[in-house]
Amino acid sequence: MAGSNKKLVRMRLSALFLRIAVFVAAALITWGAARVSVTVLEQRSTVAVQEALLDEGQEWPTVIADGLQIILEGEAPSEAARFRAMTISGRIVDASRVIDNMHVTDPEGLAPPSFAIEILRNDSGVSLIGLIPAATDRDALSARIARIADGQPVTDLLESADYPMPDNWRPALNYAVDALAQLPRSKISVAAGRVEITAISDSADQKRLLEARLSREAPDGVRLALQITAPRPVISPYITRFTVDADGARFASCTADTEEARGKIVAAATAAGLVGRVNCTLALGVPSATWSDAVSLSIGAVAELGGGTVTISDADIALVAPEGTDQALFDRVVGALDNDLPDLFALDATLPVAPEADEQGPPEFTATLSPEGLVQLRGKISDDLMNQTVENYAQARFGRDAVRMGTLVTDGLPRGWAVRVLAGIEGLSYLSNGSVVVSPENLTLRGNTGDPDASAEVSRLLIEKLGEAAQFSVDVTYVEALDPIAALPTPEECIAQIGIVTAERKILFDPGSDSLTADTQPVIDDIAEVLRACLDIPMEIAGYTDSQGREEMNLALSKNRAEAVLTALRARRVPTGGFVANGYGEADPIADNETEEGREANRRIEFRLIQPEPTPEEQTALEAAEDAPAEDSSEDAPQDAESTAE
């Protein structure tokens, strides 16, 4: 019995040892497989990162795998190269797994890197990427960008390198950030002495305003590449009108859907005798892709007839030949045009017959608009009701007190006379000054305007009101001085006007406080009126005190007084997006603080433009980089133009 029990124990022990051996073997196999997997993963990551670096021309880094981490070692030729290696590796594996054990070659004797920034702004926020000099005030730049973003996210991917700041870097960067504040949808590239701006505006008028403002604000020594686009307008009906007469060849309205189409139309007009610049609007709404073919053929027909007018409105073409045109020539030209026109377009051609002589002469209506805005209406009207209608319509367009009536109610006027008179008055309202003459056969509108598109808009209006075959002449001259955008004062002129306002009157505060006195309110009103007529200029409101009292107290008081002026301007609805208020305490006295008169003069508010100090363009950015680096200059002083309120 005892022997049987011993045998059973031995069997159980053998089974236990066998199980333990199997477990240990399985653990060893699992560990080995895991080790192999880790090794394979390390090798694959190492090879992938190394190949990516080689593909980008980065042969100097050594790639080492340690578990899931990728370690980069080696001597980088520059800070930019080190940053580039980290960026490339972060695209292959998770950037958090990349360990930087690289060091940068001693920069002495090496050319500095190319400092550059790409700034993107859209409805999702602002992002910055690039390399900047270590001497750049990073905190001030971040604060300005945050104010521009106005609560939207700011993604800052800028790196810095400890190299001397290149010439014209600071003015280029300052200008780029100022431009960013004006461009909600833009990409701005900044390099030393160069800024490239690509942006989208809301309208053609805003595009013109931005181009004028940004070009004017570009600092000396900074080259500007500016490309602002505006959404194309949608025009309906889609109209082009071309005339050849004794005064020459001209467009009353020119519209095209593409640059290629515009070139084809202008080429046809030039061949027909057009001389000078053509304002042919690119717009949406074209009725057919063959629009330019139809317009070019129609213009060619007018040239072949030796004159006349052709109006293309959507798919309808109205051609009016000159009076006295040979019938055979007219039939041949019109027949050829009708057969050559693309499908969809319909031609209506007219050969006018000379009117019979009238002893009393044809009826006529005239309206004149003076530069002061006064309107005089003279000529024939069909009845009393129409006469009252014309007066009311003119008053609605020009103002009740601006209209003077000198019309005569007459029977027997041509059909559609009232429509022609009202259309002429409406066309006149597009001008700054001018006249319109309405006759049975023609309507002539002449004058000046500050809108470069007024001629085309008036022509579209008359075609819509009178029909494509109607005879009219539009002779409108664009005068830049009448353009409300082009006529805006420059920032320097605005500062000069503030200087005139404050030449004899001073901005005053209650003693020891930042509260504006009652006597100062009219001065602030006048300054606000000047600024409302200006662009949203970058301007500093600087406060100063005399030397009485502690320096810290004076500094705080001057700051508070400058902010009080800024607040007062905001309350008067002045656009102050580019304004800052700073206090300088008792610094920069303009008079002797030992006398009461001198102290009173030193207690002042100054208005001055914020813009980089002009730097002579003696070298290009490339030449500056090749030469020995210059010493970093101090911050640019924002004092190009200033006005002191005394």
Side-chain angles (χ1 to χ4, degrees):
M1 186 69 179
S4 178
N5 289 337
K6 290 180 179 180
K7 185 177 181 180
L8 179 62
V9 169
R10 285 196 298 271
M11 291 176 62
R12 288 178 176 177
L13 289 173
S14 298
L16 177 61
F17 289 146
L18 179 61
R19 290 174 182 172
I20 293 173
V22 170
F23 177 78
V24 171
L28 290 173
I29 292 172
T30 302
W31 177 83
R35 182 62 182 172
V36 170
S37 298
V38 170
T39 302
V40 170
L41 180 61
E42 288 179 346
Q43 291 175 346
R44 288 181 177 177
S45 298
T46 302
V47 171
V49 172
Q50 191 73 64
E51 288 180 347
L53 289 169
L54 292 174
D55 289 343
E56 297 288 340
Q58 304 291 322
E59 301 177 356
W60 54 270
T62 300
V63 182
I64 302 173
D66 183 7
L68 296 178
Q69 293 181 331
I70 294 296
I71 302 172
L72 299 183
E73 295 183 346
E75 188 175 32
S78 66
E79 188 67 31
R82 183 196 67 78
F83 174 71
R84 180 66 177 161
M86 291 291 292
T87 302
I88 295 170
S89 303
R91 291 202 300 259
I92 305 303
V93 300
D94 190 333
S96 62
R97 293 168 49 195
V98 181
I99 306 301
D100 180 7
N101 277 352
M102 300 174 287
H103 64 277
V104 180
T105 303
D106 183 3
E108 184 175 355
L110 295 179
S114 298
F115 293 111
I117 301 177
E118 291 281 346
I119 309 175
L120 299 176
R121 184 185 179 194
N122 53 35
D123 295 337
S124 301
V126 180
S127 62
L128 303 93
I129 186 169
L131 183 68
I132 63 175
T136 303
D137 191 338
R138 187 71 171 268
D139 292 338
L141 177 62
S142 299
R144 292 178 68 185
I145 297 297
R147 286 197 299 270
I148 293 170
D150 194 22
Q152 291 181 322
V154 176
T155 304
D156 187 343
L157 301 178
L158 295 176
E159 292 286 331
S160 62
D162 192 10
Y163 282 85
M165 185 178 294
D167 292 343
N168 291 335
W169 168 262
R170 184 178 287 115
L173 180 58
N174 287 341
Y175 172 74
V177 176
D178 289 341
L180 185 71
Q182 306 175 48
L183 303 168
R185 296 178 298 280
S186 58
K187 181 185 82 170
I188 302 179
S189 303
V190 187
R194 181 171 178 81
V195 176
E196 297 181 8
I197 298 176
T198 304
I200 300 175
S201 63
D202 293 331
S203 65
D205 286 342
Q206 187 187 50
K207 174 180 179 293
R208 293 171 54 225
L209 175 62
L210 289 171
E211 287 175 339
R213 177 189 296 168
L214 293 173
S215 298
R216 188 159 53 206
E217 292 176 354
D220 293 340
V222 174
R223 291 171 293 168
L224 174 63
L226 183 60
Q227 182 179 356
I228 299 179
T229 58
R232 293 184 179 179
V234 178
I235 294 178
S236 180
Y238 213 75
I239 291 174
T240 291
R241 183 180 177 94
F242 183 76
T243 299
V244 176
D245 56 19
D247 295 328
R250 63 189 178 278
F251 280 106
S253 175
C254 180
T255 312
D257 56 325
T258 65
E259 290 284 359
E260 182 181 359
R262 177 162 61 181
K264 183 180 294 186
I265 292 171
V266 171
T270 302
L274 179 67
V275 178
R277 181 176 176 272
V278 178
N279 184 20
C280 197
T281 304
L282 292 179
L284 304 177
V286 65
S288 169
T290 58
W291 168 263
S292 60
D293 296 328
V295 174
S296 300
L297 289 169
S298 301
I299 292 174
V302 171
E304 195 170 353
L305 287 170
T309 296
V310 64
T311 304
I312 305 95
S313 177
D314 287 339
D316 297 321
I317 301 177
L319 187 149
V320 180
E323 241 178 64
T325 299
D326 180 71
Q327 184 69 52
L329 174 63
F330 176 80
D331 293 341
R332 178 174 60 81
V333 172
V334 170
L337 175 61
D338 197 22
N339 283 282
D340 292 341
L341 283 173
D343 294 339
L344 177 69
F345 291 91
L347 174 63
D348 179 17
T350 303
L351 178 57
V353 178
E356 296 181 0
D358 186 347
E359 294 181 359
Q360 295 183 352
E364 187 175 270
F365 173 86
T366 303
T368 59
L369 171 63
S370 72
E372 295 76 25
L374 298 178
V375 178
Q376 291 187 354
L377 306 180
R378 299 185 299 272
K380 297 180 179 181
I381 300 294
S382 57
D383 53 51
D384 290 332
L385 177 60
M386 187 59 208
N387 195 50
Q388 187 63 49
T389 301
V390 168
E391 182 178 10
N392 292 341
Y393 188 72
Q395 289 176 348
R397 285 284 175 176
F398 301 100
R400 178 173 297 274
D401 297 332
V403 177
R404 301 290 183 269
M405 296 293 290
T407 53
L408 176 65
V409 176
T410 305
D411 294 331
L413 294 176
R415 183 180 178 183
W417 184 257
V419 175
R420 297 172 66 80
V421 168
L422 293 176
I425 293 173
E426 185 173 356
L428 187 64
S429 68
Y430 283 75
L431 308 184
S432 298
N433 62 280
S435 65
V436 60
V437 179
V438 180
S439 66
E441 302 297 332
N442 199 11
L443 185 153
T444 302
L445 189 145
R446 295 185 175 89
N448 299 319
T449 177
D451 181 359
D453 298 322
S455 180
E457 292 175 2
V458 170
S459 297
R460 282 194 291 268
L461 164 71
L462 296 179
I463 292 171
E464 181 181 354
K465 301 293 185 183
L466 307 180
E468 293 85 355
Q471 285 289 93
F472 63 82
S473 174
V474 176
D475 183 10
V476 174
T477 302
Y478 169 71
V479 180
E480 184 175 346
L482 300 175
D483 191 330
I485 294 176
L488 288 174
T490 66
E492 291 77 12
E493 290 171 343
C494 292
I495 294 296
Q497 290 176 22
I498 294 176
I500 294 173
V501 168
T502 58
E504 302 296 334
R505 297 177 296 172
K506 187 175 181 180
I507 296 177
L508 300 174
F509 299 86
D510 291 335
S513 79
D514 57 10
S515 298
L516 293 162
T517 65
D519 293 340
T520 292
Q521 300 303 325
V523 183
I524 300 295
D525 290 339
D526 291 345
I527 294 174
E529 184 176 354
V530 169
L531 292 174
R532 279 194 291 267
C534 297
L535 299 171
D536 186 8
I537 60 177
M539 186 177 75
E540 180 187 35
I541 302 174
Y544 292 89
T545 67
D546 58 30
S547 61
Q548 301 295 303
R550 291 180 299 136
E551 184 177 352
E552 296 81 1
M553 181 184 299
N554 288 335
L555 192 63
L557 179 60
S558 64
K559 170 73 169 176
N560 292 340
R561 287 181 169 178
E563 290 180 344
V565 173
L566 178 58
T567 300
L569 292 174
R570 285 198 187 107
R572 289 161 172 80
R573 300 185 180 278
V574 172
T576 59
F579 292 13
V580 295
N582 292 320
Y584 296 95
E586 57 194 62
D588 303 323
I590 60 174
D592 187 358
N593 273 311
E594 298 301 321
T595 66
E596 180 56 37
E597 293 79 6
R599 289 191 292 271
E600 181 179 353
N602 290 330
R603 298 190 293 269
R604 67 195 189 277
I605 295 290
E606 292 184 358
F607 299 85
R608 55 200 180 207
L609 295 180
I610 301 176
Q611 61 184 30
E613 183 175 324
T615 303
E617 188 174 356
E618 297 178 354
Q619 292 180 309
T620 65
L622 180 60
E623 291 169 341
E626 292 173 349
D627 293 340
E631 292 295 328
D632 186 22
S633 59
S634 60
E635 293 294 329
D636 294 310
Q639 298 186 20
D640 263 5
E642 68 177 42
S643 170
T644 304
E646 297 183 346

